[in-house]
PDB file of all heavy atoms in Angstrom:
ATOM      1  N   LEU A 295      -4.453   5.190   0.585  1.00 96.00           N
ATOM      2  CA  LEU A 295      -3.261   4.862   1.385  1.00 96.00           C
ATOM      3  C   LEU A 295      -3.645   4.410   2.747  1.00 96.00           C
ATOM      4  O   LEU A 295      -3.185   3.378   3.250  1.00 96.00           O
ATOM      5  CB  LEU A 295      -2.254   6.063   1.493  1.00 96.00           C
ATOM      6  CG  LEU A 295      -1.272   6.366   0.341  1.00 96.00           C
ATOM      7  CD1 LEU A 295      -0.684   7.696   0.514  1.00 96.00           C
ATOM      8  CD2 LEU A 295      -0.274   5.248   0.213  1.00 96.00           C
ATOM      9  N   SER A 296      -4.541   5.169   3.387  1.00 94.00           N
ATOM     10  CA  SER A 296      -5.008   4.870   4.786  1.00 94.00           C
ATOM     11  C   SER A 296      -5.623   3.508   4.833  1.00 94.00           C
ATOM     12  O   SER A 296      -5.309   2.702   5.759  1.00 94.00           O
ATOM     13  CB  SER A 296      -5.925   5.899   5.217  1.00 94.00           C
ATOM     14  OG  SER A 296      -6.353   5.694   6.493  1.00 94.00           O
ATOM     15  N   GLU A 297      -6.523   3.196   3.946  1.00 93.00           N
ATOM     16  CA  GLU A 297      -7.186   1.969   3.981  1.00 93.00           C
ATOM     17  C   GLU A 297      -6.329   0.787   3.681  1.00 93.00           C
ATOM     18  O   GLU A 297      -6.366  -0.285   4.387  1.00 93.00           O
ATOM     19  CB  GLU A 297      -8.412   1.941   2.976  1.00 93.00           C
ATOM     20  CG  GLU A 297      -9.494   2.906   3.281  1.00 93.00           C
ATOM     21  CD  GLU A 297     -10.140   2.793   4.711  1.00 93.00           C
ATOM     22  OE1 GLU A 297     -10.076   1.641   5.240  1.00 93.00           O
ATOM     23  OE2 GLU A 297     -10.566   3.741   5.225  1.00 93.00           O
ATOM     24  N   LEU A 298      -5.444   0.891   2.683  1.00 95.00           N
ATOM     25  CA  LEU A 298      -4.537  -0.257   2.347  1.00 95.00           C
ATOM     26  C   LEU A 298      -3.472  -0.459   3.475  1.00 95.00           C
ATOM     27  O   LEU A 298      -3.212  -1.600   3.780  1.00 95.00           O
ATOM     28  CB  LEU A 298      -3.893   0.038   1.047  1.00 95.00           C
ATOM     29  CG  LEU A 298      -4.866   0.030  -0.212  1.00 95.00           C
ATOM     30  CD1 LEU A 298      -4.078   0.296  -1.461  1.00 95.00           C
ATOM     31  CD2 LEU A 298      -5.616  -1.249  -0.342  1.00 95.00           C
ATOM     32  N   VAL A 299      -2.990   0.639   4.049  1.00 94.00           N
ATOM     33  CA  VAL A 299      -2.004   0.453   5.090  1.00 94.00           C
ATOM     34  C   VAL A 299      -2.646  -0.112   6.355  1.00 94.00           C
ATOM     35  O   VAL A 299      -2.128  -0.939   7.014  1.00 94.00           O
ATOM     36  CB  VAL A 299      -1.294   1.805   5.415  1.00 94.00           C
ATOM     37  CG1 VAL A 299      -0.382   1.665   6.663  1.00 94.00           C
ATOM     38  CG2 VAL A 299      -0.407   2.176   4.200  1.00 94.00           C
ATOM     39  N   THR A 300      -3.856   0.352   6.710  1.00 91.00           N
ATOM     40  CA  THR A 300      -4.560  -0.175   7.838  1.00 91.00           C
ATOM     41  C   THR A 300      -4.780  -1.653   7.672  1.00 91.00           C
ATOM     42  O   THR A 300      -4.560  -2.508   8.610  1.00 91.00           O
ATOM     43  CB  THR A 300      -5.938   0.462   8.065  1.00 91.00           C
ATOM     44  OG1 THR A 300      -5.706   1.894   8.332  1.00 91.00           O
ATOM     45  CG2 THR A 300      -6.748  -0.090   9.180  1.00 91.00           C
ATOM     46  N   ASN A 301      -5.223  -2.138   6.476  1.00 89.00           N
ATOM     47  CA  ASN A 301      -5.453  -3.599   6.190  1.00 89.00           C
ATOM     48  C   ASN A 301      -4.112  -4.328   6.371  1.00 89.00           C
ATOM     49  O   ASN A 301      -4.124  -5.383   6.900  1.00 89.00           O
ATOM     50  CB  ASN A 301      -6.017  -3.767   4.848  1.00 89.00           C
ATOM     51  CG  ASN A 301      -7.527  -3.483   4.790  1.00 89.00           C
ATOM     52  OD1 ASN A 301      -8.130  -3.208   5.794  1.00 89.00           O
ATOM     53  ND2 ASN A 301      -8.027  -3.463   3.586  1.00 89.00           N
ATOM     54  N   ALA A 302      -3.067  -3.743   5.841  1.00 91.00           N
ATOM     55  CA  ALA A 302      -1.728  -4.402   5.902  1.00 91.00           C
ATOM     56  C   ALA A 302      -1.277  -4.592   7.381  1.00 91.00           C
ATOM     57  O   ALA A 302      -0.793  -5.632   7.773  1.00 91.00           O
ATOM     58  CB  ALA A 302      -0.713  -3.662   5.148  1.00 91.00           C
ATOM     59  N   MET A 303      -1.454  -3.546   8.195  1.00 90.00           N
ATOM     60  CA  MET A 303      -1.098  -3.618   9.591  1.00 90.00           C
ATOM     61  C   MET A 303      -1.967  -4.616  10.330  1.00 90.00           C
ATOM     62  O   MET A 303      -1.475  -5.390  11.151  1.00 90.00           O
ATOM     63  CB  MET A 303      -1.252  -2.220  10.232  1.00 90.00           C
ATOM     64  CG  MET A 303      -0.247  -1.279   9.889  1.00 90.00           C
ATOM     65  SD  MET A 303       1.354  -1.785  10.411  1.00 90.00           S
ATOM     66  CE  MET A 303       2.317  -0.338  10.176  1.00 90.00           C
ATOM     67  N   ARG A 304      -3.233  -4.679  10.000  1.00 87.00           N
ATOM     68  CA  ARG A 304      -4.187  -5.523  10.737  1.00 87.00           C
ATOM     69  C   ARG A 304      -4.067  -6.998  10.299  1.00 87.00           C
ATOM     70  O   ARG A 304      -4.088  -7.940  11.080  1.00 87.00           O
ATOM     71  CB  ARG A 304      -5.597  -5.032  10.500  1.00 87.00           C
ATOM     72  CG  ARG A 304      -6.659  -5.863  11.335  1.00 87.00           C
ATOM     73  CD  ARG A 304      -7.992  -5.170  11.348  1.00 87.00           C
ATOM     74  NE  ARG A 304      -8.027  -3.833  11.845  1.00 87.00           N
ATOM     75  CZ  ARG A 304      -7.943  -3.453  13.171  1.00 87.00           C
ATOM     76  NH1 ARG A 304      -7.848  -4.359  14.059  1.00 87.00           N
ATOM     77  NH2 ARG A 304      -7.944  -2.198  13.481  1.00 87.00           N
ATOM     78  N   TYR A 305      -3.918  -7.229   9.023  1.00 86.00           N
ATOM     79  CA  TYR A 305      -3.988  -8.611   8.475  1.00 86.00           C
ATOM     80  C   TYR A 305      -2.671  -9.144   7.938  1.00 86.00           C
ATOM     81  O   TYR A 305      -2.607 -10.344   7.616  1.00 86.00           O
ATOM     82  CB  TYR A 305      -5.078  -8.720   7.425  1.00 86.00           C
ATOM     83  CG  TYR A 305      -6.432  -8.229   7.930  1.00 86.00           C
ATOM     84  CD1 TYR A 305      -7.009  -7.055   7.424  1.00 86.00           C
ATOM     85  CD2 TYR A 305      -7.068  -8.963   8.914  1.00 86.00           C
ATOM     86  CE1 TYR A 305      -8.236  -6.637   7.957  1.00 86.00           C
ATOM     87  CE2 TYR A 305      -8.332  -8.585   9.369  1.00 86.00           C
ATOM     88  CZ  TYR A 305      -8.874  -7.347   8.828  1.00 86.00           C
ATOM     89  OH  TYR A 305     -10.113  -6.972   9.321  1.00 86.00           O
ATOM     90  N   GLY A 306      -1.650  -8.238   7.750  1.00 86.00           N
ATOM     91  CA  GLY A 306      -0.380  -8.721   7.181  1.00 86.00           C
ATOM     92  C   GLY A 306       0.454  -9.585   8.149  1.00 86.00           C
ATOM     93  O   GLY A 306       0.118  -9.609   9.351  1.00 86.00           O
ATOM     94  N   GLN A 307       1.412 -10.274   7.587  1.00 85.00           N
ATOM     95  CA  GLN A 307       2.175 -11.142   8.366  1.00 85.00           C
ATOM     96  C   GLN A 307       3.681 -10.779   8.408  1.00 85.00           C
ATOM     97  O   GLN A 307       4.367 -11.346   9.234  1.00 85.00           O
ATOM     98  CB  GLN A 307       2.033 -12.609   7.794  1.00 85.00           C
ATOM     99  CG  GLN A 307       0.605 -13.104   7.991  1.00 85.00           C
ATOM    100  CD  GLN A 307       0.508 -14.508   7.372  1.00 85.00           C
ATOM    101  OE1 GLN A 307       1.432 -15.142   6.936  1.00 85.00           O
ATOM    102  NE2 GLN A 307      -0.729 -15.018   7.344  1.00 85.00           N
ATOM    103  N   GLY A 308       4.187  -9.955   7.534  1.00 82.00           N
ATOM    104  CA  GLY A 308       5.547  -9.672   7.513  1.00 82.00           C
ATOM    105  C   GLY A 308       5.993  -8.743   8.612  1.00 82.00           C
ATOM    106  O   GLY A 308       5.147  -8.088   9.297  1.00 82.00           O
ATOM    107  N   PRO A 309       7.296  -8.678   8.859  1.00 87.00           N
ATOM    108  CA  PRO A 309       7.844  -7.761   9.862  1.00 87.00           C
ATOM    109  C   PRO A 309       7.728  -6.193   9.460  1.00 87.00           C
ATOM    110  O   PRO A 309       7.844  -5.378  10.310  1.00 87.00           O
ATOM    111  CB  PRO A 309       9.285  -8.182  10.007  1.00 87.00           C
ATOM    112  CG  PRO A 309       9.621  -8.763   8.721  1.00 87.00           C
ATOM    113  CD  PRO A 309       8.327  -9.421   8.206  1.00 87.00           C
ATOM    114  N   VAL A 310       7.558  -5.983   8.160  1.00 91.00           N
ATOM    115  CA  VAL A 310       7.390  -4.643   7.710  1.00 91.00           C
ATOM    116  C   VAL A 310       6.255  -4.543   6.743  1.00 91.00           C
ATOM    117  O   VAL A 310       5.799  -5.574   6.153  1.00 91.00           O
ATOM    118  CB  VAL A 310       8.667  -4.151   7.007  1.00 91.00           C
ATOM    119  CG1 VAL A 310       9.902  -4.051   7.954  1.00 91.00           C
ATOM    120  CG2 VAL A 310       8.985  -4.941   5.809  1.00 91.00           C
ATOM    121  N   VAL A 311       5.757  -3.323   6.517  1.00 94.00           N
ATOM    122  CA  VAL A 311       4.813  -3.038   5.522  1.00 94.00           C
ATOM    123  C   VAL A 311       5.438  -2.149   4.538  1.00 94.00           C
ATOM    124  O   VAL A 311       6.004  -1.097   4.897  1.00 94.00           O
ATOM    125  CB  VAL A 311       3.568  -2.363   6.158  1.00 94.00           C
ATOM    126  CG1 VAL A 311       2.576  -1.865   5.028  1.00 94.00           C
ATOM    127  CG2 VAL A 311       2.737  -3.360   7.017  1.00 94.00           C
ATOM    128  N   GLY A 312       5.531  -2.490   3.274  1.00 95.00           N
ATOM    129  CA  GLY A 312       6.054  -1.713   2.216  1.00 95.00           C
ATOM    130  C   GLY A 312       5.039  -0.901   1.514  1.00 95.00           C
ATOM    131  O   GLY A 312       3.844  -1.357   1.295  1.00 95.00           O
ATOM    132  N   VAL A 313       5.284   0.388   1.242  1.00 96.00           N
ATOM    133  CA  VAL A 313       4.403   1.273   0.626  1.00 96.00           C
ATOM    134  C   VAL A 313       5.138   1.964  -0.564  1.00 96.00           C
ATOM    135  O   VAL A 313       6.205   2.504  -0.405  1.00 96.00           O
ATOM    136  CB  VAL A 313       3.868   2.432   1.573  1.00 96.00           C
ATOM    137  CG1 VAL A 313       2.884   3.330   0.820  1.00 96.00           C
ATOM    138  CG2 VAL A 313       3.210   1.747   2.711  1.00 96.00           C
ATOM    139  N   ARG A 314       4.553   1.804  -1.764  1.00 95.00           N
ATOM    140  CA  ARG A 314       5.058   2.543  -2.938  1.00 95.00           C
ATOM    141  C   ARG A 314       3.995   3.425  -3.510  1.00 95.00           C
ATOM    142  O   ARG A 314       2.850   3.063  -3.621  1.00 95.00           O
ATOM    143  CB  ARG A 314       5.475   1.504  -4.010  1.00 95.00           C
ATOM    144  CG  ARG A 314       6.687   0.662  -3.689  1.00 95.00           C
ATOM    145  CD  ARG A 314       7.072  -0.183  -4.815  1.00 95.00           C
ATOM    146  NE  ARG A 314       7.604   0.613  -5.936  1.00 95.00           N
ATOM    147  CZ  ARG A 314       7.454   0.309  -7.235  1.00 95.00           C
ATOM    148  NH1 ARG A 314       6.907  -0.836  -7.520  1.00 95.00           N
ATOM    149  NH2 ARG A 314       8.023   1.117  -8.144  1.00 95.00           N
ATOM    150  N   LEU A 315       4.376   4.614  -3.924  1.00 95.00           N
ATOM    151  CA  LEU A 315       3.538   5.596  -4.495  1.00 95.00           C
ATOM    152  C   LEU A 315       4.301   6.077  -5.699  1.00 95.00           C
ATOM    153  O   LEU A 315       5.400   6.631  -5.512  1.00 95.00           O
ATOM    154  CB  LEU A 315       3.209   6.775  -3.586  1.00 95.00           C
ATOM    155  CG  LEU A 315       2.361   7.946  -4.107  1.00 95.00           C
ATOM    156  CD1 LEU A 315       0.978   7.469  -4.450  1.00 95.00           C
ATOM    157  CD2 LEU A 315       2.324   9.049  -3.038  1.00 95.00           C
ATOM    158  N   TYR A 316       3.853   5.852  -6.918  1.00 92.00           N
ATOM    159  CA  TYR A 316       4.559   6.243  -8.100  1.00 92.00           C
ATOM    160  C   TYR A 316       3.549   6.589  -9.223  1.00 92.00           C
ATOM    161  O   TYR A 316       2.387   6.212  -9.115  1.00 92.00           O
ATOM    162  CB  TYR A 316       5.531   5.186  -8.540  1.00 92.00           C
ATOM    163  CG  TYR A 316       4.974   3.825  -8.887  1.00 92.00           C
ATOM    164  CD1 TYR A 316       4.616   3.540 -10.263  1.00 92.00           C
ATOM    165  CD2 TYR A 316       4.688   2.877  -7.974  1.00 92.00           C
ATOM    166  CE1 TYR A 316       4.008   2.379 -10.614  1.00 92.00           C
ATOM    167  CE2 TYR A 316       4.137   1.689  -8.327  1.00 92.00           C
ATOM    168  CZ  TYR A 316       3.797   1.410  -9.638  1.00 92.00           C
ATOM    169  OH  TYR A 316       3.202   0.219  -9.949  1.00 92.00           O
ATOM    170  N   GLY A 317       4.018   7.237 -10.253  1.00 87.00           N
ATOM    171  CA  GLY A 317       3.076   7.694 -11.251  1.00 87.00           C
ATOM    172  C   GLY A 317       3.742   7.797 -12.633  1.00 87.00           C
ATOM    173  O   GLY A 317       4.947   7.793 -12.775  1.00 87.00           O
ATOM    174  N   THR A 318       2.812   7.951 -13.576  1.00 83.00           N
ATOM    175  CA  THR A 318       3.208   8.211 -14.910  1.00 83.00           C
ATOM    176  C   THR A 318       2.444   9.459 -15.277  1.00 83.00           C
ATOM    177  O   THR A 318       1.804  10.005 -14.449  1.00 83.00           O
ATOM    178  CB  THR A 318       2.806   7.032 -15.878  1.00 83.00           C
ATOM    179  OG1 THR A 318       1.310   6.929 -15.892  1.00 83.00           O
ATOM    180  CG2 THR A 318       3.339   5.726 -15.374  1.00 83.00           C
ATOM    181  N   ALA A 319       2.540   9.835 -16.545  1.00 81.00           N
ATOM    182  CA  ALA A 319       1.763  11.077 -16.973  1.00 81.00           C
ATOM    183  C   ALA A 319       0.280  10.855 -16.884  1.00 81.00           C
ATOM    184  O   ALA A 319      -0.513  11.808 -16.658  1.00 81.00           O
ATOM    185  CB  ALA A 319       2.097  11.373 -18.428  1.00 81.00           C
ATOM    186  N   SER A 320      -0.206   9.594 -16.870  1.00 87.00           N
ATOM    187  CA  SER A 320      -1.616   9.380 -16.915  1.00 87.00           C
ATOM    188  C   SER A 320      -2.201   8.683 -15.627  1.00 87.00           C
ATOM    189  O   SER A 320      -3.385   8.739 -15.447  1.00 87.00           O
ATOM    190  CB  SER A 320      -2.046   8.531 -18.108  1.00 87.00           C
ATOM    191  OG  SER A 320      -1.439   7.270 -18.032  1.00 87.00           O
ATOM    192  N   HIS A 321      -1.352   8.054 -14.829  1.00 89.00           N
ATOM    193  CA  HIS A 321      -1.817   7.291 -13.630  1.00 89.00           C
ATOM    194  C   HIS A 321      -0.995   7.488 -12.468  1.00 89.00           C
ATOM    195  O   HIS A 321       0.243   7.586 -12.589  1.00 89.00           O
ATOM    196  CB  HIS A 321      -1.994   5.794 -13.987  1.00 89.00           C
ATOM    197  CG  HIS A 321      -3.077   5.545 -14.965  1.00 89.00           C
ATOM    198  ND1 HIS A 321      -2.875   5.402 -16.283  1.00 89.00           N
ATOM    199  CD2 HIS A 321      -4.391   5.331 -14.712  1.00 89.00           C
ATOM    200  CE1 HIS A 321      -4.015   5.204 -16.862  1.00 89.00           C
ATOM    201  NE2 HIS A 321      -4.989   5.124 -15.946  1.00 89.00           N
ATOM    202  N   LEU A 322      -1.555   7.305 -11.266  1.00 92.00           N
ATOM    203  CA  LEU A 322      -0.823   7.273 -10.050  1.00 92.00           C
ATOM    204  C   LEU A 322      -1.108   5.906  -9.433  1.00 92.00           C
ATOM    205  O   LEU A 322      -2.265   5.521  -9.360  1.00 92.00           O
ATOM    206  CB  LEU A 322      -1.319   8.399  -9.062  1.00 92.00           C
ATOM    207  CG  LEU A 322      -0.522   8.621  -7.807  1.00 92.00           C
ATOM    208  CD1 LEU A 322       0.909   9.203  -8.258  1.00 92.00           C
ATOM    209  CD2 LEU A 322      -1.181   9.540  -6.906  1.00 92.00           C
ATOM    210  N   CYS A 323      -0.079   5.205  -8.949  1.00 94.00           N
ATOM    211  CA  CYS A 323      -0.236   3.865  -8.462  1.00 94.00           C
ATOM    212  C   CYS A 323       0.238   3.826  -6.996  1.00 94.00           C
ATOM    213  O   CYS A 323       1.149   4.443  -6.604  1.00 94.00           O
ATOM    214  CB  CYS A 323       0.624   2.902  -9.266  1.00 94.00           C
ATOM    215  SG  CYS A 323       0.157   2.806 -11.006  1.00 94.00           S
ATOM    216  N   ILE A 324      -0.542   3.029  -6.203  1.00 94.00           N
ATOM    217  CA  ILE A 324      -0.213   2.803  -4.805  1.00 94.00           C
ATOM    218  C   ILE A 324      -0.107   1.241  -4.703  1.00 94.00           C
ATOM    219  O   ILE A 324      -0.969   0.503  -5.143  1.00 94.00           O
ATOM    220  CB  ILE A 324      -1.347   3.277  -3.872  1.00 94.00           C
ATOM    221  CG1 ILE A 324      -1.494   4.798  -4.050  1.00 94.00           C
ATOM    222  CG2 ILE A 324      -1.040   2.873  -2.387  1.00 94.00           C
ATOM    223  CD1 ILE A 324      -2.835   5.235  -3.373  1.00 94.00           C
ATOM    224  N   GLU A 325       1.014   0.865  -4.033  1.00 95.00           N
ATOM    225  CA  GLU A 325       1.219  -0.578  -3.770  1.00 95.00           C
ATOM    226  C   GLU A 325       1.551  -0.777  -2.291  1.00 95.00           C
ATOM    227  O   GLU A 325       2.365   0.058  -1.785  1.00 95.00           O
ATOM    228  CB  GLU A 325       2.429  -1.167  -4.544  1.00 95.00           C
ATOM    229  CG  GLU A 325       2.178  -1.147  -6.025  1.00 95.00           C
ATOM    230  CD  GLU A 325       3.438  -1.655  -6.822  1.00 95.00           C
ATOM    231  OE1 GLU A 325       4.447  -1.892  -6.191  1.00 95.00           O
ATOM    232  OE2 GLU A 325       3.283  -1.704  -8.048  1.00 95.00           O
ATOM    233  N   VAL A 326       0.853  -1.673  -1.626  1.00 95.00           N
ATOM    234  CA  VAL A 326       1.127  -1.917  -0.225  1.00 95.00           C
ATOM    235  C   VAL A 326       1.342  -3.397  -0.029  1.00 95.00           C
ATOM    236  O   VAL A 326       0.559  -4.221  -0.408  1.00 95.00           O
ATOM    237  CB  VAL A 326      -0.063  -1.469   0.713  1.00 95.00           C
ATOM    238  CG1 VAL A 326       0.214  -1.810   2.130  1.00 95.00           C
ATOM    239  CG2 VAL A 326      -0.238   0.040   0.522  1.00 95.00           C
ATOM    240  N   THR A 327       2.604  -3.735   0.402  1.00 94.00           N
ATOM    241  CA  THR A 327       3.044  -5.078   0.584  1.00 94.00           C
ATOM    242  C   THR A 327       3.005  -5.435   2.073  1.00 94.00           C
ATOM    243  O   THR A 327       3.551  -4.715   2.867  1.00 94.00           O
ATOM    244  CB  THR A 327       4.454  -5.246   0.010  1.00 94.00           C
ATOM    245  OG1 THR A 327       4.465  -4.750  -1.328  1.00 94.00           O
ATOM    246  CG2 THR A 327       4.921  -6.693   0.062  1.00 94.00           C
TER     247      THR A 327
END
């Protein structure tokens, strides 16, 4: 989370950074827009 959010803040272009954390029984997913 820290690395992906830092990159989004430093290199992103949008007015917001979106963060999703979700999971299934077998995996946990992180998405940073």
